[in-house]
């Protein structure tokens, strides 16, 4: 496992979230249930949006895409983490490690960009309502989603290429439940100061730019809402509150991991779990509970299921 070149490294050892065997069994049960909830919750959101004609609008088109991305974000690391709770040692191949790096950054960047797109959608809907369906045409909506994926792909490739050729040496132990760039850089047989700066600048550009655009969008929205009628303002504020909640849940952990790292191991693990597991879990719940149309769609699906069950 020791060597001065990455080509000699065939695998890494993940130290995981806990050392106690009993605690790992408990975590296995908890995270397995959470992961199943993530898959089912986001699948239900996508199913409702596809099947309910009342939800065929740009906002719900983006929400369906967000649910799809949330499943990918969680699936990039969570299944491996769950199976590792029952294994010692927790081994991951070099190719598997690099795959986690790529998909974590690619899907994470897509989620950030989609949140910006959704904020732009709300800005047009609230600040330019008469031109909303002209501006947010299906072609433009699809173009915004595809552009988000393209930008995220370029970002992820730039991160991957920075570490895949990195000379590694020493004990190939990663003190986390998945492979991430800051932890791989620590294994480098070289002065990694410049690489650390590059990573922070690259990730920081994506995270901070998206965050600033979100702040600008929601500032304009809130200023417009103040001048609206009470009924319109209440509906707009309810929708924006859900969006802002999701933004904070996702962006705050990312900022403290990639832009302004605290270098506290247990806190880094907690933040990583939060944005890769709990953010995808909370997103469908937040949008469903805070959105009248989504709640109506859930009720219709429930009634349809009850009617079907009664007939059989």
């Amino acid at each position: 496992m020791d060597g001065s070149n990455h080509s000699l490294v065939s695998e890494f050892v993940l130290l995981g979230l806990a050392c106690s065997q009993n605690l790992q069994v408990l975590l296995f049960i908890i995270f397995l249930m959470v992961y199943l909830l993530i898959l089912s919750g986001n699948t239900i959101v996508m199913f409702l949006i596809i099947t309910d004609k009342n939800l065929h609008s740009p906002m719900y088109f983006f929400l369906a895409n967000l649910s799809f991305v949330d499943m990918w974000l969680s699936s990039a690391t969570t299944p491996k983490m769950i199976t590792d709770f029952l294994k010692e040692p927790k081994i991951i191949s070099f190719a598997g490690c690099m795959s986690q790096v790529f998909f974590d950054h690619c899907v994470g960047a897509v989620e950030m960009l989609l949140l910006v797109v959704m904020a732009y959608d709300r800005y047009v809907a609230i600040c330019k309502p008469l031109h909303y369906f002209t501006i947010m045409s299906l072609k433009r909506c699809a173009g915004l989603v595809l552009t988000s994926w393209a930008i995220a792909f370029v970002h992820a490739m730039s991160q991957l290429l920075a570490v895949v050729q990195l000379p590694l040496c020493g004990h190939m132990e990663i003190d986390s439940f998945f492979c991430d760039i800051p932890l791989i850089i620590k294994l480098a047989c070289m002065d990694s100061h410049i690489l650390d700066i590059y990573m922070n600048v690259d990730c920081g550009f994506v995270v901070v730019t998206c965050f600033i655009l979100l702040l600008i969008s929601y500032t304009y929205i809130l200023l417009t809402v103040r001048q609206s009628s009470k009924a319109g303002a209440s509906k707009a504020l309810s929708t924006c509150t859900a969006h802002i909640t999701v933004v904070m849940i996702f962006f705050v952990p990312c900022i403290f991991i990639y832009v302004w790292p605290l270098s506290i191991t247990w806190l880094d693990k907690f933040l990583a779990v939060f944005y890769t597991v709990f953010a995808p879990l909370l997103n469908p719940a937040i949008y469903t509970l805070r959105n009248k149309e989504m709640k109506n769609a859930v009720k219709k699906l429930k009634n349809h299921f009850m009617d079907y069950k009664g007939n059989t």
Side-chain angles (χ1 to χ4, degrees):
M1 293 288 286
D2 292 338
S4 59
N5 191 283
H6 84 279
S7 61
L8 300 179
V9 178
S10 60
E11 58 189 26
F12 298 89
V13 177
L14 300 173
L15 300 185
L17 294 177
C19 297
S20 167
Q21 187 61 42
N22 291 334
L23 180 57
Q24 290 194 71
V25 172
L26 177 62
L27 291 174
F28 168 81
I29 296 170
I30 292 172
F31 281 101
L32 178 61
M33 292 175 63
V34 169
Y35 183 60
L36 292 175
L37 285 172
I38 290 169
L39 295 181
S40 57
N42 284 289
T43 300
I44 288 171
V45 169
M46 290 190 294
F47 177 79
L48 289 173
I49 292 171
I50 292 170
T51 58
D52 194 322
K53 292 183 179 180
N54 294 323
L55 302 180
H56 290 180
S57 67
M59 183 178 82
Y60 296 107
F61 172 77
F62 294 130
L63 180 55
N65 278 275
L66 184 68
S67 290
F68 175 75
V69 170
D70 276 334
M71 289 197 295
W72 270 90
L73 179 64
S74 182
S75 297
T77 57
T78 307
K80 171 66 176 168
M81 176 182 66
I82 291 170
T83 56
D84 278 349
F85 284 131
L86 304 180
K87 291 195 302 185
E88 287 295 343
K90 309 177 197 307
I91 302 295
I92 185 169
S93 67
F94 183 85
C97 186
M98 294 302 112
S99 296
Q100 284 193 339
V101 168
F102 175 78
F103 284 109
D104 181 56
H105 282 266
C106 182
V107 181
V110 172
E111 176 130 355
M112 292 181 191
L113 292 163
L114 272 180
L115 290 171
V116 173
V117 169
M118 292 172 75
Y120 173 69
D121 171 72
R122 290 301 83 205
Y123 163 76
V124 176
I126 294 169
C127 300
K128 299 181 179 180
L130 297 178
H131 304 285
Y132 177 64
F133 287 103
T134 303
I135 297 173
M136 302 304 295
S137 63
L138 179 59
K139 183 178 179 180
R140 175 163 293 183
C141 291
L144 289 169
V145 171
L146 291 175
T147 301
S148 298
W149 277 100
I151 294 172
F153 177 82
V154 172
H155 164 70
M157 284 301 297
S158 70
Q159 295 286 293
L160 181 63
L161 293 175
V163 295
V164 73
Q165 298 292 334
L166 199 63
L168 304 175
C169 59
H171 297 288
M172 296 297 111
E173 293 183 343
I174 296 176
D175 194 2
S176 185
F177 61 93
F178 76 110
C179 290
D180 203 2
I181 291 179
L183 301 174
I184 297 173
I185 290 175
K186 289 181 180 179
L187 304 176
C189 305
M190 56 177 281
D191 183 3
S192 60
H193 179 67
I194 294 176
L195 191 57
D196 282 326
I197 293 174
Y198 167 77
M199 186 209 70
N200 289 336
V201 170
D202 192 357
C203 292
F205 178 77
V206 175
V207 176
V208 174
T209 301
C210 289
F211 196 65
I212 290 172
L213 290 172
L214 286 164
L215 287 177
I216 293 171
S217 296
Y218 286 118
T219 299
Y220 271 105
I221 289 170
L222 293 174
L223 289 173
T224 304
V225 164
R226 286 183 60 186
Q227 303 169 3
S228 303
S229 65
K230 190 172 265 189
S234 177
K235 182 179 178 181
L237 196 60
S238 176
T239 303
C240 289
T241 301
H243 284 236
I244 293 169
T245 303
V246 169
V247 166
M248 297 307 294
I249 287 173
F250 187 77
F251 271 85
V252 171
C254 290
I255 288 171
F256 285 112
I257 292 175
Y258 299 111
V259 182
W260 190 15
L262 300 175
S263 300
I264 303 172
T265 302
W266 69 267
L267 184 58
D268 288 342
K269 290 183 181 181
F270 171 78
L271 293 173
V273 168
F274 200 83
Y275 95 87
T276 59
V277 179
F278 290 106
L281 173 67
L282 293 172
N283 285 359
I286 290 169
Y287 281 112
T288 302
L289 294 174
R290 299 286 304 182
N291 188 287
K292 185 178 179 180
E293 286 84 0
M294 285 297 294
K295 284 192 281 189
N296 289 337
V298 170
K299 287 179 182 177
K300 283 198 291 184
L301 180 64
K302 184 180 178 181
N303 292 335
H304 180 76
F305 177 76
M306 294 301 291
D307 292 341
Y308 175 81
K309 190 175 181 181
N311 292 331
T312 56

